[in-house]
């Protein structure tokens, strides 16, 4: 499985961005996730979606502001981010795991990351 994230950039606080992740391999069997890592901090879970797209899970810090979705026909997963805050600034990583479960850990495959910077 190979993952390629894109869509990061610089945005003002309160703005929106949509991250995209293109995946290869047996996409329809993968639980997909987004993680982020801010400078000086550990990588943290942001959101996940099961293979069917029927269930999602979010970190408390992004609930109500971020939405994860997927398009199995196109092997794509997205993270729509609204009401962005300076504390959302981080490198965002797309990740995948061969599991039917809605996990927030144990992901096996990682993309290269895309930088999101939110200015105050």
């Amino acid at each position: 499985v190979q993952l390629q994230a894109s869509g990061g950039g610089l945005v003002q606080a309160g703005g929106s961005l949509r991250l995209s992740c293109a995946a290869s391999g047996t996409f329809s069997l993968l639980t997909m996730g987004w993680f982020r890592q801010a400078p000086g901090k550990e990588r943290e879970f942001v959101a996940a979606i099961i293979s069917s797209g029927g269930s999602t899970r979010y970190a408390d810090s992004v609930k109500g502001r971020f939405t994860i979705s997927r398009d199995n026909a196109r092997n794509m997963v997205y993270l729509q981010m609204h009401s962005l805050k300076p504390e959302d600034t981080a490198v965002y990583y797309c990740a995948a795991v061969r599991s039917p479960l809605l996990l927030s850990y144990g992901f096996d495959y990682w993309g290269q990351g895309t930088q999101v910077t939110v200015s105050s």
Side-chain angles (χ1 to χ4, degrees):
V1 177
Q2 293 185 327
L3 305 171
Q4 180 76 34
S6 62
L10 174 64
V11 63
Q12 289 187 333
S16 299
L17 277 176
R18 189 177 84 153
L19 305 183
S20 299
C21 177
S24 65
T26 52
F27 184 74
S28 62
L29 300 180
L30 302 172
T31 286
M32 300 297 298
W34 287 96
F35 291 74
R36 66 187 183 186
Q37 187 168 20
K41 295 187 177 181
E42 294 186 353
R43 188 176 298 182
E44 65 175 359
F45 169 77
V46 174
I49 186 168
I50 60 171
S51 56
S52 69
S55 292
T56 57
R57 182 175 184 174
Y58 297 93
D60 288 343
S61 58
V62 306
K63 279 182 183 176
R65 301 188 298 121
F66 291 10
T67 302
I68 188 171
S69 61
R70 65 190 293 160
D71 184 341
N72 285 352
R74 299 184 177 184
N75 283 17
M76 296 290 295
V77 63
Y78 306 99
L79 185 69
Q80 179 67 56
M81 305 183 292
H82 294 298
S83 302
L84 283 161
K85 305 175 182 180
E87 51 263 45
D88 294 318
T89 295
V91 177
Y92 283 71
Y93 296 90
C94 175
V97 59
R98 295 183 190 275
S99 172
L101 302 177
L102 190 59
L103 299 174
S104 61
Y105 59 91
F107 283 71
D108 301 311
Y109 305 98
W110 295 86
Q112 86 289 1
T114 185
Q115 176 71 47
V116 172
T117 303
V118 184
S119 63
S120 58

